[in-house]
Structures are given as C-alpha cells and as structure tokens.
Amino acid sequence: PRASNPRPPGRRSLGIVTTEDEPTWLAPERSDAAETALSVLTQADLEPVVDMVLLARDGAYEARTHHGAVRFSRADNTYTELTVEGRHPLSDQSSDKFSSLADEQTNVHPQRHDNAYPNAYDQIAQLFDHPSAPDLCVIHSAAHNWEDQGGHRGEHGSLGIVQARAPFVLAGPGIRSAGVVPRSARLVDVAPTVLELLGVTPLANGDHLANQDGVVRHDVLDSSTKPKHVVMFLFDGTNPMVLYDMAARGEAPNVARLIEMGTAYGHGAFAGLPTVTLANHTSILTGQLPGHHGILHNAWFDRQKNEQIITNSNANWPWAMQHVHAGVESIHSAVHRNEPGAFTASINEPCDIDADFSTFGFLRAGEMPPLPENPAELPHTTERFVRPSKDYSWSSTIDHMGVEQAVGVLSGHYRDVSYPLPRFMFANFTLTDAAMHEGGPYSEIAAAAIRDSDARMGEIIKAVERAKIFDETAFVLVADHGMEETNPAVRGDWAAPLRDAGLNLRDEGYGFLYLNA
C-alpha cells in the first residue's frame, strides 16, 4: 500500500478542529444486492455508458470498472491505496489534462484510460460523508448521451476532468494582474478567497466559513489593496476552454476585459461530485463540498424519512436551501458576521442563504418579479436561437430579469424600493447551461449563449461604473461545472439490465442507486 492524494485540511467548525465526517458505509443487509448490481454494471456490454461504479463499505472506498478496481481508505487527512485489481481506474488524477480548446476537441469524449479524474479520492469520500449517500454511485461515461434527458449533446455530472472543470476569473483591486495562468483551483476555494478579498476576519481556526473545505487562493491575491465591493457572476454549465478561447478571439469582450485586468485559472476550478448545478452553486457560496453542505444532488433519497428529495424543479428551487445541513454558512452569512450593517444581494440564485436581497425571496413571498412578454425582443438576445428553442427563450427571459434586478440594486432603486450599494453581489446566468446542453459546448448555439451572457454581464459592469465604484470593486466569474461533448450514438442506460437481474432499487438523479428502497 502507498499513501496517495493527500486530503485538504480537515473540516472544522468555529475554531475547533474536528475529525472527518462519519462515512455512510454500505449496510450489511444490502451487501448481496450490491454485489449483484456491481456484477451487472461492470459487464462489457454496459462499458459504453458506465465509466465506473463507486461505493463505500467495510471501512474503505472503491471504484470498480469492467477492467479493474481500486480500494482506498481515509485517515488523518490522507488517502491510502489498499488494493488495485487489473487496470487502475483512477491512476490519472492530474488537473492539467486537455488544458486547451484544441487539445480538448482532439480528445472528444475520452475513454476511461485516456481521461483524468482530479481530486478523485477526496471527491468520492466526501460524497459518502452525506447521511443520504447512495449505496452505489454510477458514473456515466464521457460519451454517454442521456436519452431520458432528451439526448443532450452536452453533458456533465461525472468525475471526468472536462465535466468537472469550470472557469475561474478574478479581476480588480486586490487581484494580481497575471492573465491566464497554468494553474487550477477548486470551486470550494471560491468562497474563502472572496471573503479574504473582502477583508472578512477569519474564525479562530483561520477559516472564513464554518466547516469549510476550501482554502484561500493567496496565489491570485494582491494584499496591498482591498476592494470595497465584490460582484460575482456565474455562467452556469460553461466549458472554460470555449469561454477562454472566445475571450481571446474578441467574441466575449467583457470576459476578456476581466482576464486582462486580473487572473484566470487556465486549468480551471474543479466542481465537487456530483458535478451538477445546485450541488456546486451551494459549494461555491459555502466553501463546502456537496457531501458536507447537504445539497447532495439534483435529486436523492432520504432513507430516514422515506422521501425523495428534488431540488432542481421550478417548484422546488425557491425552497431548496431547507435541505442544507444545520450551521452551513454562505458568503452572505460571513459578510454579515463580520459587518452586521453590510448589504448583500443574490440575483437569480437558489443558494441565497442570509442574503439581504434575493430573487428567490420574492418567489417565496409569492411576488414574481415582472417578466418580459416577448423574449425575441430583449436586448443581447440571439434571435436565431431564441425563437426555435424553448430553453434558450426561457433562459434568456430569466437572465434578462436578473440583469434588471442587478442594475436596479446598483442604481439604488428596484421596484420602488431603495437599496444601499452591496458589499457583495452574486448574479447567476442560466443561458449557457441550456445552450451547451442543447448543442454541445462547441456548437453555434453555445457560442451565441456566451456572447449573450457576456453582454448581459457587461450591463452589470456598466451599472457598477455608473455607481462610481468601479475602481473599488473586484469581479469574479465562475461556473458550477463544465460541459462535455457527448456521442449521439451512445444512448441507453443501466436501468433495464438491473431490473432484469431482479433488483429492487431507486435510481435518483441518474446514477445514485438506493438498493432495497
């Protein structure tokens, strides 16, 4: 056995160092069903759609595939490989693979032995720290084109590097001006870095948030100055290599402006497993991984309550934060802890814990903000796609509404209410995710979505300038996960063969298997 993949500093709370969370080990009464499911999922005929299967049992974690397996343990913040059978499925955990658009497109939907899985051991272990972790987690292949989701040409959710990799750009006072640098970060690093940038006093243990998993990225900070305000943008589901390439070619001028002013992580910032929307929106804003903050997936099963939890439907998004674990803090929480009179704003973002202004606060109060009637007539909207595509149309409408709110707050007035200038503002844009799912990350519809979103971001930056606080404002741009091109020929899933094996199970969020449930 050899020590491998040292774990980041252990989770802490309010200045007291604690041990790791108690993992959710596979229950003995489900062991036989798990073995049956593993034998089905690792058969050769499912190899095109199943990348690997993850589980936690008998004091160790496993990643199993058709060609091999690895078993490893966690202790004292370090991971130790216990056994390797056949071909090691997680042998490449590098963060710099496919780190240019040309390289990524040359290696479209890579096979497992050609792929990389950054932070894989920590990714797997944190998932099973959640009390409602699945018995088995099925990771879909890079090529898999989900039929149940309408045959998406772009996909995410897995451990693979392209699906996990998000852009991360910082600019303005307090940020080094280095352009694109050949380094990577993690999305859980965003919150502590923003709080350090804002001058928020750390807790007694040196962390900025209770139980944070991330670290402050001092490599990008310039300690000689601090901003008075931070405005943060999220381009949901954006492939960073596509974004950086478009910025370099002048097709995303506002993104290019931020990169020129500051620093962009060329190898990206990596999402937590599962690499899906709300799990990682919450990670970005809390500094905790999905298995720790409580938003485990878009859908999961709570065995104790015998209840399916769904967070990503239109009906449930406004109330999704009820599922975060007790004591979870957001950037908004920490800013208020440090400055009780500070004002913060959350624009079109479900993870709005302790925000003073929140789009979803209006929805919870039954006050839907006004929506434009004709999306095709909106500014910064590509008519070629907004008319035929329902998702492009809806996301354009929502993102336009978000711009109106952000610009209104920055001007001091929105819907006849006066607001102070925000110490921290978070603005979420959804169009990029919808377009990259529909056409894939390299498509014309994806490029149009980036251009539209870049222009909308530019409107908010102009509002910062009109408020005469541009020189006092730092900007951050991230995504919640990446987006990978799928293979239209690789359809189907594992449901039928599992049923044929006589297994009684729930498959939540596409890949979270709960046996005998």
Side-chain angles (χ1 to χ4, degrees):
R2 63 185 190 275
S4 180
N5 198 22
R7 189 169 187 255
R11 299 182 64 229
R12 302 177 172 101
S13 62
L14 302 178
I16 302 173
V17 179
T18 65
T19 58
E20 294 96 345
D21 293 81
E22 184 65 28
T24 305
W25 304 117
L26 178 69
E29 63 270 21
R30 296 192 287 276
S31 180
D32 289 346
E35 284 299 329
T36 301
L38 284 168
S39 68
V40 171
L41 293 165
T42 56
Q43 290 175 0
D45 56 351
L46 281 181
E47 178 79 4
V49 298
V50 176
D51 195 31
M52 63 186 72
V53 186
L54 312 175
L55 67 156
R57 60 178 171 182
D58 302 327
Y61 308 94
E62 298 177 37
R64 307 197 71 84
T65 76
H66 175 60
H67 294 108
V70 62
R71 191 165 180 268
F72 61 94
S73 63
R74 179 180 71 186
D76 298 327
N77 301 329
T78 299
Y79 293 102
T80 301
E81 289 178 0
L82 303 175
T83 58
V84 176
E85 305 168 21
R87 198 167 197 170
H88 193 321
L90 300 172
S91 60
D92 189 346
Q93 298 186 28
S94 61
S95 61
D96 60 350
K97 199 154 195 174
F98 313 140
S99 55
S100 73
L101 181 58
D103 194 14
E104 188 177 287
Q105 289 181 298
T106 301
N107 295 278
V108 65
H109 35 76
Q111 298 289 320
R112 183 189 314 111
H113 57 270
D114 295 321
N115 212 340
Y117 304 91
N119 313 308
Y121 292 158
D122 199 45
Q123 291 279 55
I124 295 167
Q126 64 83 25
L127 179 74
F128 291 101
D129 286 338
H130 195 288
S132 293
D135 297 308
L136 302 175
C137 175
V138 184
I139 302 296
H140 61 88
S141 71
H144 193 200
N145 189 288
W146 285 99
E147 271 185 301
D148 288 341
Q149 296 182 12
H152 285 164
R153 287 304 308 273
E155 197 51 87
H156 58 88
S158 85
L159 270 174
I161 190 167
V162 177
Q163 297 192 24
R165 176 185 272 148
F168 186 17
V169 182
L170 306 95
I175 304 297
R176 299 179 190 272
S177 181
V180 180
V181 296
R183 297 196 297 270
S184 67
R186 299 180 301 157
L187 290 181
V188 290
D189 299 335
V190 174
T193 302
V194 167
L195 292 169
E196 175 72 12
L197 188 61
L198 282 167
V200 170
T201 303
L203 300 167
N205 66 353
D207 288 347
H208 288 80
L209 293 150
N211 299 327
Q212 77 181 42
D213 291 307
V215 297
V216 174
R217 294 304 308 235
H218 291 286
D219 60 312
V220 77
L221 299 182
D222 177 0
S223 60
S224 66
T225 182
K226 294 281 187 184
K228 292 183 180 179
H229 314 273
V230 170
V231 175
M232 188 169 167
F233 306 101
L234 187 145
F235 285 6
D236 198 291
T238 295
N239 178 300
M241 300 311 158
V242 173
L243 182 70
Y244 293 164
D245 178 75
M246 288 185 65
R249 292 187 290 106
E251 292 195 57
N254 292 294
V255 174
R257 182 184 184 188
L258 297 186
I259 294 173
E260 184 178 359
M261 289 168 51
T263 301
Y265 283 88
H267 298 162
F270 292 103
L273 184 69
T275 56
V276 298
T277 296
L278 193 54
N280 280 286
H281 279 241
T282 309
S283 289
I284 289 166
L285 281 150
T286 67
Q288 293 189 40
L289 290 159
H292 298 159
H293 57 56
I295 305 298
L296 184 60
H297 203 331
N298 291 333
W300 67 92
F301 183 64
D302 187 327
R303 283 188 183 275
Q304 292 181 334
K305 297 180 180 179
N306 194 34
E307 178 184 1
Q308 181 191 44
I309 308 296
I310 298 176
T311 59
N312 70 333
S313 71
N314 289 335
N316 294 327
W317 275 60
W319 292 272
M321 290 301 105
Q322 68 182 305
H323 300 294
V324 299
H325 294 327
V328 170
E329 292 186 308
S330 73
I331 295 175
H332 304 281
S333 313
V335 168
H336 290 135
R337 173 167 31 84
N338 195 68
E339 304 173 45
F343 173 73
T344 69
S346 175
I347 309 296
N348 193 25
E349 173 50 53
C351 182
D352 58 353
I353 301 167
D354 292 329
D356 296 299
F357 176 99
S358 171
T359 304
F360 283 85
F362 286 117
L363 298 180
R364 288 190 291 270
E367 302 174 11
M368 182 68 182
L371 292 173
E373 294 183 2
N374 188 353
E377 295 179 356
L378 295 175
H380 314 307
T381 299
T382 302
E383 185 174 354
R384 174 185 173 188
F385 298 113
V386 76
R387 290 187 183 277
S389 171
K390 180 180 178 182
D391 288 343
Y392 202 101
S393 175
W394 174 247
S395 290
S396 296
T397 301
I398 293 299
D399 290 357
H400 174 80
M401 177 191 70
V403 171
E404 288 186 328
Q405 291 180 16
V407 170
V409 168
L410 287 164
S411 74
H413 302 279
Y414 176 71
R415 297 183 74 188
D416 299 323
V417 177
S418 296
Y419 296 98
L421 288 170
R423 187 83 159 98
F424 173 69
M425 172 181 279
F426 187 95
N428 170 39
F429 293 96
T430 65
L431 179 62
T432 40
D433 184 77
M436 290 198 181
H437 270 308
E438 185 165 333
Y442 316 129
S443 63
E444 292 185 24
I445 192 173
I450 287 177
R451 287 191 291 267
D452 291 354
S453 300
D454 178 88
R456 292 192 179 104
M457 182 176 74
E459 292 297 328
I460 297 176
I461 294 174
K462 289 176 185 176
V464 171
E465 293 172 327
R466 288 194 297 270
K468 302 186 186 309
I469 58 170
F470 182 83
D471 292 337
E472 302 170 341
T473 301
F475 300 93
V476 179
L477 171 62
V478 294
D480 48 347
H481 49 74
M483 191 70 73
E484 187 163 30
E485 187 84 5
T486 65
N487 184 345
V490 181
R491 297 282 187 111
D493 61 30
W494 42 83
L498 288 172
R499 285 197 303 268
D500 292 345
L503 288 165
N504 172 34
L505 58 83
R506 302 181 67 108
D507 186 352
E508 300 289 352
Y510 301 103
F512 274 24
L513 303 187
Y514 296 86
L515 304 167
N516 302 335

mmCIF file of all heavy atoms in Angstrom, residues 95-122:
data_model
loop_
_atom_site.group_PDB
_atom_site.id
_atom_site.type_symbol
_atom_site.label_atom_id
_atom_site.label_comp_id
_atom_site.label_asym_id
_atom_site.label_seq_id
_atom_site.Cartn_x
_atom_site.Cartn_y
_atom_site.Cartn_z
ATOM 1 N N SER A 95 -4.582 17.604 -13.071
ATOM 2 C CA SER A 95 -5.527 18.707 -13.276
ATOM 3 C C SER A 95 -5.245 19.489 -14.555
ATOM 4 O O SER A 95 -5.979 20.425 -14.868
ATOM 5 C CB SER A 95 -5.468 19.665 -12.078
ATOM 6 O OG SER A 95 -4.169 20.224 -11.952
ATOM 7 N N ASP A 96 -4.193 19.114 -15.280
ATOM 8 C CA ASP A 96 -3.805 19.890 -16.457
ATOM 9 C C ASP A 96 -4.093 19.181 -17.778
ATOM 10 O O ASP A 96 -3.693 19.654 -18.837
ATOM 11 C CB ASP A 96 -2.322 20.262 -16.388
ATOM 12 C CG ASP A 96 -1.404 19.048 -16.325
ATOM 13 O OD1 ASP A 96 -1.918 17.920 -16.153
ATOM 14 O OD2 ASP A 96 -0.177 19.232 -16.419
ATOM 15 N N LYS A 97 -4.792 18.068 -17.721
ATOM 16 C CA LYS A 97 -5.087 17.339 -18.948
ATOM 17 C C LYS A 97 -6.128 18.101 -19.780
ATOM 18 O O LYS A 97 -7.030 18.748 -19.234
ATOM 19 C CB LYS A 97 -5.610 15.943 -18.611
ATOM 20 C CG LYS A 97 -5.512 14.961 -19.778
ATOM 21 C CD LYS A 97 -5.425 13.538 -19.270
ATOM 22 C CE LYS A 97 -4.970 12.603 -20.394
ATOM 23 N NZ LYS A 97 -4.738 11.238 -19.902
ATOM 24 N N PHE A 98 -6.011 18.014 -21.101
ATOM 25 C CA PHE A 98 -6.938 18.685 -22.015
ATOM 26 C C PHE A 98 -7.076 20.169 -21.656
ATOM 27 O O PHE A 98 -8.191 20.702 -21.576
ATOM 28 C CB PHE A 98 -8.315 18.014 -22.007
ATOM 29 C CG PHE A 98 -8.300 16.523 -22.106
ATOM 30 C CD1 PHE A 98 -9.175 15.745 -21.352
ATOM 31 C CD2 PHE A 98 -7.410 15.879 -22.954
ATOM 32 C CE1 PHE A 98 -9.172 14.358 -21.453
ATOM 33 C CE2 PHE A 98 -7.402 14.485 -23.060
ATOM 34 C CZ PHE A 98 -8.282 13.727 -22.298
ATOM 35 N N SER A 99 -5.950 20.846 -21.434
ATOM 36 C CA SER A 99 -5.998 22.212 -20.914
ATOM 37 C C SER A 99 -5.910 23.277 -22.000
ATOM 38 O O SER A 99 -5.447 24.387 -21.753
ATOM 39 C CB SER A 99 -4.905 22.426 -19.873
ATOM 40 O OG SER A 99 -3.634 22.099 -20.390
ATOM 41 N N SER A 100 -6.359 22.943 -23.199
ATOM 42 C CA SER A 100 -6.589 23.927 -24.247
ATOM 43 C C SER A 100 -7.770 23.468 -25.049
ATOM 44 O O SER A 100 -8.128 22.278 -25.038
ATOM 45 C CB SER A 100 -5.361 24.078 -25.151
ATOM 46 O OG SER A 100 -5.223 22.936 -25.997
ATOM 47 N N LEU A 101 -8.418 24.385 -25.749
ATOM 48 C CA LEU A 101 -9.585 24.002 -26.535
ATOM 49 C C LEU A 101 -9.203 23.004 -27.628
ATOM 50 O O LEU A 101 -9.915 22.027 -27.861
ATOM 51 C CB LEU A 101 -10.230 25.245 -27.148
ATOM 52 C CG LEU A 101 -11.483 24.987 -27.993
ATOM 53 C CD1 LEU A 101 -12.555 24.288 -27.173
ATOM 54 C CD2 LEU A 101 -12.012 26.295 -28.574
ATOM 55 N N ALA A 102 -8.072 23.231 -28.263
ATOM 56 C CA ALA A 102 -7.637 22.313 -29.325
ATOM 57 C C ALA A 102 -7.390 20.915 -28.777
ATOM 58 O O ALA A 102 -7.788 19.914 -29.385
ATOM 59 C CB ALA A 102 -6.379 22.854 -29.996
ATOM 60 N N ASP A 103 -6.755 20.831 -27.624
ATOM 61 C CA ASP A 103 -6.464 19.540 -27.001
ATOM 62 C C ASP A 103 -7.768 18.841 -26.613
ATOM 63 O O ASP A 103 -7.936 17.637 -26.812
ATOM 64 C CB ASP A 103 -5.573 19.764 -25.789
ATOM 65 C CG ASP A 103 -4.931 18.484 -25.277
ATOM 66 O OD1 ASP A 103 -4.961 17.468 -26.003
ATOM 67 O OD2 ASP A 103 -4.398 18.504 -24.152
ATOM 68 N N GLU A 104 -8.699 19.608 -26.060
ATOM 69 C CA GLU A 104 -9.978 19.037 -25.647
ATOM 70 C C GLU A 104 -10.754 18.501 -26.857
ATOM 71 O O GLU A 104 -11.326 17.405 -26.820
ATOM 72 C CB GLU A 104 -10.784 20.110 -24.921
ATOM 73 C CG GLU A 104 -12.047 19.606 -24.268
ATOM 74 C CD GLU A 104 -12.749 20.699 -23.499
ATOM 75 O OE1 GLU A 104 -12.251 21.087 -22.421
ATOM 76 O OE2 GLU A 104 -13.792 21.180 -23.980
ATOM 77 N N GLN A 105 -10.771 19.271 -27.939
ATOM 78 C CA GLN A 105 -11.515 18.844 -29.122
ATOM 79 C C GLN A 105 -10.850 17.677 -29.845
ATOM 80 O O GLN A 105 -11.522 16.878 -30.489
ATOM 81 C CB GLN A 105 -11.696 20.029 -30.070
ATOM 82 C CG GLN A 105 -12.668 21.067 -29.544
ATOM 83 C CD GLN A 105 -12.842 22.225 -30.507
ATOM 84 O OE1 GLN A 105 -11.912 22.946 -30.819
ATOM 85 N NE2 GLN A 105 -14.060 22.400 -30.985
ATOM 86 N N THR A 106 -9.539 17.568 -29.702
ATOM 87 C CA THR A 106 -8.835 16.421 -30.280
ATOM 88 C C THR A 106 -9.152 15.144 -29.524
ATOM 89 O O THR A 106 -9.117 14.047 -30.079
ATOM 90 C CB THR A 106 -7.313 16.668 -30.263
ATOM 91 O OG1 THR A 106 -7.028 17.848 -31.018
ATOM 92 C CG2 THR A 106 -6.544 15.500 -30.853
ATOM 93 N N ASN A 107 -9.502 15.281 -28.252
ATOM 94 C CA ASN A 107 -9.776 14.124 -27.389
ATOM 95 C C ASN A 107 -11.236 14.117 -26.942
ATOM 96 O O ASN A 107 -11.537 13.918 -25.768
ATOM 97 C CB ASN A 107 -8.849 14.166 -26.171
ATOM 98 C CG ASN A 107 -7.397 14.016 -26.537
ATOM 99 O OD1 ASN A 107 -6.905 12.907 -26.726
ATOM 100 N ND2 ASN A 107 -6.681 15.138 -26.659
ATOM 101 N N VAL A 108 -12.129 14.329 -27.895
ATOM 102 C CA VAL A 108 -13.541 14.418 -27.563
ATOM 103 C C VAL A 108 -14.044 13.088 -26.989
ATOM 104 O O VAL A 108 -13.641 12.022 -27.415
ATOM 105 C CB VAL A 108 -14.361 14.848 -28.804
ATOM 106 C CG1 VAL A 108 -14.315 13.793 -29.894
ATOM 107 C CG2 VAL A 108 -15.784 15.207 -28.427
ATOM 108 N N HIS A 109 -14.933 13.170 -26.001
ATOM 109 C CA HIS A 109 -15.443 12.067 -25.176
ATOM 110 C C HIS A 109 -14.408 10.944 -24.997
ATOM 111 O O HIS A 109 -14.538 9.845 -25.540
ATOM 112 C CB HIS A 109 -16.784 11.506 -25.664
ATOM 113 C CG HIS A 109 -16.995 11.473 -27.138
ATOM 114 N ND1 HIS A 109 -16.418 10.548 -27.967
ATOM 115 C CD2 HIS A 109 -17.750 12.262 -27.937
ATOM 116 C CE1 HIS A 109 -16.809 10.747 -29.204
ATOM 117 N NE2 HIS A 109 -17.607 11.781 -29.212
ATOM 118 N N PRO A 110 -13.359 11.217 -24.183
ATOM 119 C CA PRO A 110 -12.277 10.245 -23.995
ATOM 120 C C PRO A 110 -12.724 8.983 -23.268
ATOM 121 O O PRO A 110 -13.624 9.013 -22.424
ATOM 122 C CB PRO A 110 -11.259 11.011 -23.151
ATOM 123 C CG PRO A 110 -12.080 12.030 -22.418
ATOM 124 C CD PRO A 110 -13.165 12.433 -23.376
ATOM 125 N N GLN A 111 -12.079 7.885 -23.607
ATOM 126 C CA GLN A 111 -12.266 6.640 -22.859
ATOM 127 C C GLN A 111 -11.644 6.781 -21.473
ATOM 128 O O GLN A 111 -10.812 7.662 -21.221
ATOM 129 C CB GLN A 111 -11.599 5.483 -23.601
ATOM 130 C CG GLN A 111 -12.184 5.203 -24.977
ATOM 131 C CD GLN A 111 -13.575 4.599 -24.906
ATOM 132 O OE1 GLN A 111 -13.848 3.760 -24.056
ATOM 133 N NE2 GLN A 111 -14.462 5.035 -25.793
ATOM 134 N N ARG A 112 -12.022 5.891 -20.555
ATOM 135 C CA ARG A 112 -11.551 5.984 -19.187
ATOM 136 C C ARG A 112 -10.029 6.021 -19.096
ATOM 137 O O ARG A 112 -9.449 6.831 -18.366
ATOM 138 C CB ARG A 112 -12.088 4.810 -18.364
ATOM 139 C CG ARG A 112 -11.707 4.854 -16.896
ATOM 140 C CD ARG A 112 -12.071 3.563 -16.179
ATOM 141 N NE ARG A 112 -13.405 3.118 -16.498
ATOM 142 C CZ ARG A 112 -13.693 2.038 -17.220
ATOM 143 N NH1 ARG A 112 -12.697 1.296 -17.712
ATOM 144 N NH2 ARG A 112 -14.916 1.687 -17.456
ATOM 145 N N HIS A 113 -9.340 5.172 -19.845
ATOM 146 C CA HIS A 113 -7.886 5.101 -19.720
ATOM 147 C C HIS A 113 -7.197 6.323 -20.317
ATOM 148 O O HIS A 113 -5.996 6.519 -20.120
ATOM 149 C CB HIS A 113 -7.360 3.812 -20.380
ATOM 150 C CG HIS A 113 -7.728 3.677 -21.818
ATOM 151 N ND1 HIS A 113 -8.887 3.050 -22.218
ATOM 152 C CD2 HIS A 113 -7.105 4.079 -22.950
ATOM 153 C CE1 HIS A 113 -8.959 3.070 -23.537
ATOM 154 N NE2 HIS A 113 -7.895 3.691 -24.010
ATOM 155 N N ASP A 114 -7.949 7.159 -21.035
ATOM 156 C CA ASP A 114 -7.389 8.398 -21.568
ATOM 157 C C ASP A 114 -7.829 9.627 -20.779
ATOM 158 O O ASP A 114 -7.377 10.731 -21.060
ATOM 159 C CB ASP A 114 -7.825 8.587 -23.032
ATOM 160 C CG ASP A 114 -7.260 7.515 -23.944
ATOM 161 O OD1 ASP A 114 -6.093 7.137 -23.741
ATOM 162 O OD2 ASP A 114 -7.992 7.052 -24.843
ATOM 163 N N ASN A 115 -8.706 9.429 -19.822
ATOM 164 C CA ASN A 115 -9.293 10.542 -19.086
ATOM 165 C C ASN A 115 -8.486 10.834 -17.822
ATOM 166 O O ASN A 115 -7.568 10.095 -17.464
ATOM 167 C CB ASN A 115 -10.741 10.210 -18.715
ATOM 168 C CG ASN A 115 -11.634 11.430 -18.684
ATOM 169 O OD1 ASN A 115 -11.160 12.560 -18.578
ATOM 170 N ND2 ASN A 115 -12.939 11.210 -18.786
ATOM 171 N N ALA A 116 -8.825 11.916 -17.151
ATOM 172 C CA ALA A 116 -8.228 12.254 -15.853
ATOM 173 C C ALA A 116 -9.353 12.564 -14.875
ATOM 174 O O ALA A 116 -10.426 13.045 -15.266
ATOM 175 C CB ALA A 116 -7.281 13.437 -15.984
ATOM 176 N N TYR A 117 -9.082 12.332 -13.592
ATOM 177 C CA TYR A 117 -10.090 12.484 -12.546
ATOM 178 C C TYR A 117 -9.482 13.264 -11.378
ATOM 179 O O TYR A 117 -9.087 12.692 -10.361
ATOM 180 C CB TYR A 117 -10.583 11.106 -12.090
ATOM 181 C CG TYR A 117 -11.126 10.271 -13.210
ATOM 182 C CD1 TYR A 117 -10.290 9.404 -13.930
ATOM 183 C CD2 TYR A 117 -12.450 10.361 -13.597
ATOM 184 C CE1 TYR A 117 -10.777 8.649 -14.986
ATOM 185 C CE2 TYR A 117 -12.951 9.606 -14.657
ATOM 186 C CZ TYR A 117 -12.104 8.748 -15.349
ATOM 187 O OH TYR A 117 -12.586 8.005 -16.399
ATOM 188 N N PRO A 118 -9.383 14.601 -11.497
ATOM 189 C CA PRO A 118 -8.732 15.406 -10.451
ATOM 190 C C PRO A 118 -9.408 15.246 -9.090
ATOM 191 O O PRO A 118 -10.635 15.168 -8.995
ATOM 192 C CB PRO A 118 -8.881 16.836 -10.976
ATOM 193 C CG PRO A 118 -9.063 16.686 -12.453
ATOM 194 C CD PRO A 118 -9.823 15.417 -12.632
ATOM 195 N N ASN A 119 -8.584 15.185 -8.039
ATOM 196 C CA ASN A 119 -9.068 15.108 -6.651
ATOM 197 C C ASN A 119 -10.014 13.921 -6.438
ATOM 198 O O ASN A 119 -10.918 13.979 -5.600
ATOM 199 C CB ASN A 119 -9.799 16.400 -6.253
ATOM 200 C CG ASN A 119 -9.048 17.655 -6.626
ATOM 201 O OD1 ASN A 119 -7.868 17.798 -6.297
ATOM 202 N ND2 ASN A 119 -9.694 18.576 -7.323
ATOM 203 N N ALA A 120 -9.807 12.843 -7.168
ATOM 204 C CA ALA A 120 -10.797 11.768 -7.205
ATOM 205 C C ALA A 120 -11.063 11.160 -5.836
ATOM 206 O O ALA A 120 -12.222 10.880 -5.488
ATOM 207 C CB ALA A 120 -10.353 10.683 -8.181
ATOM 208 N N TYR A 121 -10.024 10.912 -5.048
ATOM 209 C CA TYR A 121 -10.247 10.259 -3.754
ATOM 210 C C TYR A 121 -11.062 11.148 -2.821
ATOM 211 O O TYR A 121 -11.983 10.694 -2.139
ATOM 212 C CB TYR A 121 -8.915 9.872 -3.121
ATOM 213 C CG TYR A 121 -8.175 8.777 -3.865
ATOM 214 C CD1 TYR A 121 -6.801 8.616 -3.722
ATOM 215 C CD2 TYR A 121 -8.845 7.912 -4.711
ATOM 216 C CE1 TYR A 121 -6.115 7.613 -4.401
ATOM 217 C CE2 TYR A 121 -8.181 6.910 -5.399
ATOM 218 C CZ TYR A 121 -6.820 6.766 -5.246
ATOM 219 O OH TYR A 121 -6.154 5.779 -5.934
ATOM 220 N N ASP A 122 -10.724 12.429 -2.785
ATOM 221 C CA ASP A 122 -11.484 13.347 -1.948
ATOM 222 C C ASP A 122 -12.910 13.491 -2.466
ATOM 223 O O ASP A 122 -13.864 13.581 -1.683
ATOM 224 C CB ASP A 122 -10.788 14.714 -1.905
ATOM 225 C CG ASP A 122 -11.249 15.554 -0.724
ATOM 226 O OD1 ASP A 122 -11.341 15.017 0.388
ATOM 227 O OD2 ASP A 122 -11.529 16.746 -0.925
#
